[in-house]
Amino acid sequence: MAVLLATKESAMAGWRDALLALDPALEIRLHPDSGDPATIEAVVMWTGHDLAALRRFPDLRLIVSMGAGVDHLMRPPGPPPGIPVARLVDTRLTQGMTEWVLQNVLRFHRQDPEYRAQQAAAIWHELPAPDTAQRRIGILGLGALGSDAAAKLRALGFPVMGWSRRPKSLPGIEGFHGEDGLRAMLGRSDILICLLPLTPETQGLLNAERLALLPRGAFLLNAARGGHVVQPDLLAALESGQIAGAALDVTEPEPLPPEHPFWRHPRVVLTPHAASITIPASAAPQVVENLHRLRDGRPLINLVDFAAGY
């Protein structure tokens, strides 16, 4: 039986080599060369792969998503019914996301856009020093990514709040949950960070109404999915000054069309869905672990709860 890799061509060899380094006995095939469909027992895949094509494999027993997010698997037609789906929970993915969050929180907190504008205009002018202890940070999503970012920001001295679907307690982090909790946290978030999974409940969560709840002049960071933010509403909030700046690693669509105003907006920082990129050598061990568990009939790890959406 074989494992099919289905991702962008430039990443195929790295994934194949990382898996074979852990288990040289694996038979690895690279999409679109799947060989005999009846011999594919697992597909390790990322966005862009045709989910309908998975139904070609009659003995498919496992699907692995090459990332923490799985919203791409929720779209019709979805995975074949009854096939377990695992996602990646990887320390390097978590570290990469936290680095992006810290980079952009500090970018806005330390007035980097203002200083870069002054540099461009040859202006030497000291701005009032920011007070870390007074810059309140709200994080949407307290899973592995949000919890780590919250802890690192708290260690820097920021007051940190976190919102989750259900109550969650983290040391030093003020927790909120539910719609009332969301509104309460937004009203106190000078910097809002979105690290939520994209589900029908979180689609369009950050619309004009909720952006208006933020303190005037707040900043927004989104490294989750573009669908969380209603982009015309964010653009209007930027133009009005309600939002002072935004760092966006994700958009809808990706990439944005060349004429989209975010490309050249002076208060928007764009990165190409690169906040945290899966490193095959780091993530491969859990993929191989799940393959061994599958063959041994043992419980699988990091399975997706399709009812919850992540």
Side-chain angles (χ1 to χ4, degrees):
M1 301 299 285
V3 177
L4 177 66
L5 293 179
T7 185
K8 58 185 180 181
E9 187 174 355
S10 61
M12 292 280 203
W15 270 100
R16 178 198 60 207
D17 294 348
L19 294 171
L20 290 176
L22 296 168
D23 186 349
L26 290 174
E27 182 178 350
I28 306 291
R29 298 178 190 166
L30 308 183
H31 178 76
D33 184 14
S34 62
D36 181 358
T39 61
I40 299 297
E41 68 171 338
V43 175
V44 182
M45 59 177 289
W46 192 227
T47 60
H49 187 70
D50 180 10
L51 295 179
L54 297 177
R55 287 153 174 80
R56 296 177 48 240
F57 309 125
D59 292 322
L60 183 64
R61 302 171 62 205
L62 174 66
I63 299 167
V64 180
S65 174
M66 292 175 169
V70 294
D71 52 288
H72 57 288
L73 297 173
M74 304 293 179
R75 297 168 185 158
I83 305 299
V85 178
R87 65 188 185 96
L88 298 183
V89 180
D90 180 56
T91 55
R92 292 290 292 273
L93 274 176
T94 301
Q95 178 181 335
M97 184 61 75
T98 295
E99 289 173 354
W100 185 91
V101 168
L102 293 176
Q103 176 188 29
N104 287 288
V105 164
L106 293 174
R107 180 197 307 277
F108 292 131
H109 174 63
R110 293 305 305 258
Q111 304 155 307
D112 187 65
E114 291 83 357
Y115 279 122
R116 298 290 68 77
Q118 288 187 179
Q119 178 180 350
I123 296 172
W124 186 272
H125 173 67
E126 180 183 290
L127 299 172
D131 186 350
T132 305
Q134 298 301 314
R135 183 83 74 179
R136 303 163 299 180
I137 296 179
I139 299 178
L140 297 169
L142 291 175
L145 302 180
S147 297
D148 190 71
K152 301 301 193 301
L153 288 165
R154 186 73 188 90
L156 289 177
F158 290 101
V160 181
M161 303 168 286
W163 181 85
S164 53
R165 199 170 68 160
R166 292 181 289 270
K168 192 164 187 177
S169 177
L170 296 174
I173 309 302
E174 186 176 1
F176 296 84
H177 68 279
E179 179 61 30
D180 290 344
L182 176 61
R183 296 177 67 87
M185 191 186 80
L186 291 179
R188 295 167 52 194
S189 296
D190 301 309
I191 299 178
L192 181 68
I193 303 163
C194 182
L195 295 175
L196 288 166
L198 185 63
T199 68
E201 291 73 28
T202 63
Q203 177 80 33
L205 182 77
L206 297 175
N207 56 19
E209 177 188 357
R210 293 195 175 100
L211 293 174
L213 294 174
L214 293 165
R216 184 169 179 80
F219 298 94
L220 173 66
L221 278 59
N222 185 19
R225 290 292 185 268
H228 288 114
V229 176
V230 180
Q231 290 176 169
D233 292 357
L234 174 57
L235 183 61
L238 286 162
E239 294 303 310
S240 73
Q242 169 62 17
I243 301 298
L248 306 174
D249 186 57
V250 288
T251 60
E252 186 63 45
E254 292 181 1
L256 291 170
E259 67 277 8
H260 196 285
F262 281 167
W263 281 113
R264 284 163 286 277
H265 200 290
R267 292 189 295 279
V268 173
V269 176
L270 286 177
T271 47
H273 205 143
S276 187
I277 299 172
T278 302
I279 299 172
S282 177
Q286 65 187 277
V287 177
V288 172
E289 172 71 13
N290 258 342
L291 290 170
H292 290 171
R293 285 170 175 257
L294 179 73
R295 292 172 176 180
D296 296 342
R298 293 181 287 134
L300 303 176
I301 59 174
N302 301 326
L303 288 179
V304 175
D305 181 349
F306 277 84
Y310 52 88

